[in-house]
Amino acid sequence: MIRYYYYHIFYVGMMNIMVLVPYVLISHRFDGAVSSFPLAIACGTLYSYVTSAVFQRFPGLGLPEIYKLFLPVWLANCLNMVGVVVWCTAGIIVLFSYSNTVGIFFDPEASSYLNLAIMAAASLWAASRTSRSVQFTHEVLLIVSTPIILWILFKALFSHWLDWDAIRLVADAGIRKPPSMVCLFAASFVFSGHMNITLFNRLNPSDLKFRFRWIIPIVGTFFLLVSFFVPIGFHGTQAVGNYLYVWSVTTDSLMMKYGFIQRVLYLFLLLYTFLSLVFVMNTWHTGMEFFKACFKKYKPQTDEVNVPAINWWICGVLAGLTFVYAYFTNDIFNRVAAELWLVTRFIIESILVMLLIVFVVMKKKGYMKRIDESRSPQSGGANR
């Protein structure tokens, strides 16, 4: 169904907070962040349109199957492994960031490894399920959390504590500076929900049309502007640069006058627990499927009755790597790692978009290396 595609657009737009996108942009608030927004919106919208249009021509196929249609096996496997690294690294960074955030704001005296262990166990179990189970879990958690997150965002946006003069000052000063490439790469992440189609296109039926794509720039621009300008309005043009987890501090400034929980921060952290688990579930599941696609005998199955043992092993390794990462790193290193990941993601996404266009041309000219053997009735069962 087409709604599953837009679920990814929405949740990735909201998840930019946990990938430290606001921190990167606010660090450059007087140095090209604002002027990079139009470029990020244009690139994100263009990439979304191109990927959806290309995958619409390959119904029921994920990116690993499309690679094998046009490329030598060794090259397809190399590209699959690039996907494994990019997707799984994102899940590890988010898991570490959110477990640290929970530890700092909920119980600073608790062991950070305890929070990490609970979330890693939940992510391991969820990511090892079938693609269709992951998709359904994604839908339930997003429906529960999205309306309340939007309520928190609008509550912050219309708060009388929001200083519009600070926002106007940063907007006026920032738009006069040349765009920053780092900010372009970071801001474009808000629009990158379309990349999840690289795996979940396996669930799409042959007659699916990607309608309502005009929503993508509207949704992405809203989340981008709110996540950047609202913290500036609350903390001022200078003090806002002192916070790493800037949105957690911002929501701690909000109160629910009639709620049974007075501090909005607790509700915010609970909802972002759901979103973080959804993000890690999707990234690890995608990385797992890309890794399995490197094996010659692998056949994509979206509705397996029993979870294969290899799923547990792969996701278990990812959970173990998260602990290794947490042991050797800290908040400062994680901030640098997140920035490097945002830059790398944009470069790889750009290369992939160009590669997809080449595949469409090759298909039109009949340059497919082999017939589509991987397509099966099980991989396109969703109805619109």
Side-chain angles (χ1 to χ4, degrees):
M1 293 183 181
I2 192 65
R3 70 174 187 273
Y4 292 110
Y5 176 71
Y6 290 104
Y7 288 158
H8 293 289
I9 301 293
F10 266 88
Y11 101 92
V12 171
M14 292 186 285
M15 269 303 296
N16 78 84
I17 292 171
M18 284 301 137
V19 195
L20 303 180
V21 170
Y23 175 82
V24 174
L25 297 178
I26 288 171
S27 299
H28 297 273
R29 58 194 179 282
F30 295 119
D31 190 24
V34 178
S35 55
S36 68
F37 288 172
L39 293 176
I41 294 168
C43 287
T45 304
L46 177 64
Y47 287 2
S48 300
Y49 272 66
V50 171
T51 53
S52 58
V54 170
F55 277 93
Q56 193 170 273
R57 289 169 167 78
F58 297 98
L61 296 182
L63 189 58
E65 293 84 77
I66 297 174
Y67 281 155
K68 291 179 180 177
L69 288 177
F70 299 99
L71 301 175
V73 174
W74 66 269
L75 182 55
N77 289 341
C78 289
L79 293 175
N80 283 333
M81 289 307 297
V82 171
V84 172
V85 173
V86 172
W87 284 101
C88 295
T89 305
I92 291 173
I93 290 174
V94 166
L95 204 55
F96 175 80
S97 295
Y98 192 75
S99 64
N100 263 16
T101 306
V102 170
I104 291 170
F105 291 95
F106 268 143
D107 187 1
E109 296 182 356
S111 170
S112 59
Y113 292 106
L114 177 62
N115 299 326
L116 189 62
I118 295 172
M119 294 197 64
S123 302
L124 188 159
W125 184 87
S128 60
R129 305 300 100 180
T130 63
S131 297
R132 197 172 300 282
S133 298
V134 168
Q135 183 173 257
F136 290 157
T137 306
H138 182 182
E139 179 178 35
V140 171
L141 291 178
L142 201 66
I143 289 175
V144 169
S145 56
T146 299
I148 309 176
I149 288 177
L150 290 176
W151 173 75
I152 292 174
L153 295 181
F154 280 107
K155 183 177 179 62
L157 199 58
F158 294 107
S159 170
H160 66 276
W161 294 105
L162 193 70
D163 185 356
W164 287 96
D165 288 337
I167 293 174
R168 189 174 63 251
L169 180 63
V170 171
D172 287 345
I175 200 66
R176 301 173 193 278
K177 298 287 185 180
S180 161
M181 294 304 291
V182 173
C183 292
L184 167 62
F185 299 157
S188 64
F189 172 81
V190 179
F191 299 84
S192 63
H194 65 94
M195 290 302 294
N196 288 293
I197 198 176
T198 55
L199 178 72
F200 292 97
N201 193 54
R202 289 175 176 175
L203 301 170
N204 290 335
S206 58
D207 60 343
L208 181 67
K209 303 295 182 186
F210 287 92
R211 298 173 298 174
F212 310 116
R213 286 182 289 183
W214 51 268
I215 295 175
I216 297 173
I218 297 174
V219 171
T221 304
F222 170 77
F223 286 123
L224 176 62
L225 297 182
V226 169
S227 61
F228 175 74
F229 283 114
V230 167
I232 293 173
F234 270 87
H235 305 292
T237 58
Q238 298 300 323
V240 70
N242 297 331
Y243 304 111
L244 178 60
Y245 301 109
V246 63
W247 259 96
S248 299
V249 180
T250 301
T251 53
D252 204 18
S253 306
L254 297 171
M255 297 291 178
M256 291 186 292
K257 187 176 179 181
Y258 303 108
F260 60 91
I261 303 174
Q262 190 181 31
R263 296 172 70 178
V264 173
L265 172 67
Y266 295 142
L267 186 59
F268 175 83
L269 291 179
L270 179 63
L271 295 170
Y272 266 85
T273 300
F274 294 155
L275 281 188
S276 298
L277 289 175
V278 167
F279 185 83
V280 180
M281 174 182 69
N282 280 326
T283 52
W284 284 9
H285 181 77
T286 303
M288 177 186 74
E289 290 295 324
F290 275 41
F291 179 78
K292 288 161 61 178
C294 295
F295 294 93
K296 187 176 181 180
K297 295 183 179 179
Y298 171 71
K299 297 290 183 184
Q301 299 289 334
T302 56
D303 297 301
E304 292 164 318
V305 177
N306 297 315
V307 175
I310 190 173
N311 289 16
W312 288 101
W313 283 106
I314 295 172
C315 293
V317 169
L318 293 174
L321 288 176
T322 306
F323 277 92
V324 173
Y325 179 76
Y327 182 78
F328 287 104
T329 194
N330 52 39
D331 282 333
I332 296 175
F333 183 84
N334 189 55
R335 181 197 65 192
V336 176
E339 193 167 324
L340 286 174
W341 182 84
L342 288 168
V343 173
T344 306
R345 175 209 59 81
F346 181 84
I347 294 171
I348 291 177
E349 187 176 325
S350 302
I351 295 172
L352 178 61
V353 168
M354 290 186 284
L355 199 57
L356 290 173
I357 295 173
V358 173
F359 288 159
V360 171
V361 174
M362 292 175 69
K363 183 182 180 183
K364 285 184 177 179
K365 293 184 178 295
Y367 290 156
M368 295 168 68
K369 293 186 71 64
R370 57 187 68 85
I371 61 173
D372 177 14
E373 298 175 344
S374 56
R375 190 182 306 197
S376 67
Q378 283 187 311
S379 60
N383 296 319
R384 187 172 53 168

